Amino acid sequence: DIYNVSTWTDTVGWTKTATTVALGSGKLSFSAGVNDYTHRFKFDQPHAFEKWQWEVKTITTQKDATSYGYAFGTESSNSTSVNKYGLAVRFIGQTGADQGKIQLVSITGAANTATILTTSTTALTYSANDTIIINVRREYGQLTAEAWNATTNSGRVSLEYNYAFTTSSTVIGNTGNFTIFSIGGTFEVLDTKLTSREITNPALVFMADSKFVGYGANEQRYRAADLVK
């Protein structure tokens, strides 16, 4: 496990930026998001994992026109704005046609500008204060996510997206920090479990700069490390 907690007793190892978050009763309570991705709660340890999973148990305590939602993903740790690429899976709580859906966004630049990549075709049925579990998984260039209502055991919603290994503005980042994005409305984070799915004790390890991510290779199988088999 990278990080695993069922009861929050402290926030050591996490840094908040702009966001309003309170610790109490074994959980984190978020509020005062401004409908963008600038309010962040970041896990301090940067990583370059290409295979990981993040499952989070949440309670959406607000469901109305300003409960824009929250997201889980990675914020780029690159100090150069032009090379900052992140990603996040958002739960949409705002009143409207997309309420209850999950959405994958690409986050770029110093302003954390979000570009929608895909949205689930169906929406989760829920009420305020229901417990919602969100699971996000990355497998190289493939990102999948699903969400379900643990209070009512209603049907799941899901999405899948395959990043192209190109030099476009929505490329997958090579480094980052796991981050909770407080977009808007009030919500609580209960259990959270971050897991690496990387191979342990590999026979061969490549250490290089971002070129080895494979930008411009177009497909994973054409990346330099993948060609050495």
Side-chain angles (χ1 to χ4, degrees), residues 29 47 49 51 54-55 58 63 81 86 97 100 112 117 119 144 148 158 161 174 177 191 193-194 202-203 213 223 226:
S29 299
H47 71 91
F49 296 129
K51 298 173 67 176
W54 193 356
E55 185 165 290
T58 70
K63 184 184 181 184
S81 295
N112 279 30
L117 300 180
T119 304
T144 58
W148 62 96
S158 62
Y161 187 83
N174 63 311
N177 296 76
D191 302 5
K193 185 176 183 179
L194 273 165
V213 176
R223 302 190 306 171
D226 288 277

Side-chain angles (χ1 to χ4, degrees), residues 7-220:
T7 301
W8 291 84
T9 57
D10 59 59
T11 56
V12 174
W14 294 78
T15 298
K16 63 179 181 179
T17 302
T19 192
T20 300
V21 56
L23 171 66
S25 301
K27 60 191 177 185
L28 301 177
S29 299
F30 289 83
S31 61
V34 291
N35 198 21
D36 63 19
Y37 290 78
T38 60
H39 287 210
R40 312 183 301 280
F41 189 64
K42 180 181 69 176
F43 186 49
D44 292 337
Q45 181 62 53
H47 71 91
F49 296 129
E50 293 188 315
K51 298 173 67 176
W52 52 264
Q53 178 171 285
W54 193 356
E55 185 165 290
V56 191
K57 182 184 290 186
T58 70
I59 295 179
T60 304
T61 52
Q62 179 182 345
K63 184 184 181 184
D64 56 29
T66 59
S67 54
Y68 302 110
Y70 45 88
F72 304 94
T74 60
E75 175 188 355
S76 175
S77 55
N78 199 312
S79 59
T80 305
S81 295
V82 71
N83 294 322
K84 291 178 74 69
Y85 301 115
L87 62 87
V89 172
R90 172 189 178 187
F91 179 78
I92 304 171
Q94 182 183 14
T95 303
D98 288 335
Q99 186 177 61
K101 292 184 178 181
I102 56 175
Q103 187 176 76
L104 174 65
V105 299
S106 174
I107 302 171
T108 57
N112 279 30
T113 302
T115 301
I116 298 171
L117 300 180
T118 188
T119 304
S120 63
T121 56
T122 57
L124 196 67
T125 300
Y126 74 101
S127 300
N129 296 310
D130 280 356
T131 298
I132 296 170
I133 299 176
I134 298 175
N135 186 292
V136 183
R137 298 180 302 278
R138 179 186 171 186
E139 183 87 13
Y140 300 113
Q142 183 184 68
L143 198 292
T144 58
E146 60 181 353
W148 62 96
N149 189 326
T151 300
T152 63
N153 292 317
S154 62
R156 302 189 177 203
V157 297
S158 62
L159 60 78
E160 179 179 313
Y161 187 83
N162 291 295
Y163 284 85
F165 287 93
T166 64
T167 54
S168 72
S169 60
T170 56
V171 298
I172 198 162
N174 63 311
T175 60
N177 296 76
F178 292 108
T179 301
I180 300 171
F181 297 88
S182 177
I183 303 171
T186 58
F187 66 97
E188 298 171 346
V189 172
L190 309 178
D191 302 5
T192 186
K193 185 176 183 179
L194 273 165
T195 307
S196 168
R197 301 178 63 247
E198 298 283 359
I199 298 172
T200 57
N201 302 315
L204 183 64
V205 175
F206 289 87
M207 298 185 68
D209 60 13
S210 60
K211 295 182 180 65
F212 266 50
V213 176
Y215 299 139
N218 295 320
E219 294 182 37
Q220 178 191 332

